Every structure is written in structure tokens, then in C-alpha cells.
Amino acid sequence: MHALLQAALNPAHLEIRDTSARHSKHVEMRQEQTQARGPHQKGQTHYEVTIIAEKFDGMPLLARHRFVQELLAEEFATGLHALQLHLRGEKTS
């Protein structure tokens, strides 16, 4: 996920936090899907992502969210369940 976002956005700031532990019951329900993501990512289904990127300057908030979700479509298809996004342009909020 980090490499994909870095390559697509070249952000000034990129932070990804795994918050899956807060949703442990969700992890159990999604066990089969998380196993599909590979043993190194088993149980990692919820993330908080903060990005500050020039690409977002002048882009409406909803468009920013859609852009990131489209970039991560493959991750969602292989077990990613939820993202909490904090997306800002370098010149705008």
C-alpha cells in the first residue's frame, strides 16, 4: 500500500497506521479474506492513512477520497476492509 501511494502521489507526507486491533471482531469475521492477503498481512484490514500531496491541491475532498480508493482497489479486493483517510493538498486543506 505504501509503495503504491508513494508512486502515484509523490506525497510530501505519507503515514499509514494499522488500526486493525481496534476491530478485532471484524478480523475474525474476515479471516478467509485476510488469509488471501498473505501471511505477512493476516488480520490487517483497517488502516488510518494521512497524505499531504500537491496532487490534492484544488481537488475537492470527495474526489481525493475516490482517487485514493481507486488506487487501492486491489487491496480492497484482497481483504482490506476500511480506510480512515486524512487527505490534504500542500497548499490547501
Side-chain angles (χ1 to χ4, degrees):
M1 184 177 347
H2 188 276
L4 182 62
L5 294 171
Q6 184 68 42
L9 295 168
N10 190 29
H13 177 78
L14 172 59
E15 180 180 353
I16 301 172
R17 291 186 26 209
D18 182 359
T19 60
S20 301
R22 293 186 213 161
H23 309 276
S24 61
K25 291 183 181 178
H26 292 208
V27 172
E28 291 170 10
M29 290 186 293
R30 300 178 59 80
Q31 184 175 359
E32 289 180 24
Q33 288 181 329
T34 58
Q35 288 173 345
R37 300 187 76 206
H40 64 288
Q41 292 185 347
K42 184 177 178 186
Q44 296 174 325
T45 60
H46 294 70
Y47 289 90
E48 182 176 351
V49 178
T50 301
I51 304 171
I52 299 172
E54 184 178 2
K55 172 90 174 163
F56 295 146
D57 285 337
M59 185 184 289
L61 183 60
L62 184 57
R64 296 174 198 176
H65 280 252
R66 286 181 178 155
F67 183 81
V68 170
Q69 290 175 353
E70 287 173 9
L71 283 175
L72 299 176
E74 177 78 17
E75 294 287 326
F76 279 106
T78 59
L80 177 61
H81 178 67
L83 287 176
Q84 181 179 3
L85 298 173
H86 307 281
L87 310 173
R88 292 184 17 223
E90 290 185 18
K91 297 176 184 172
T92 61
S93 57

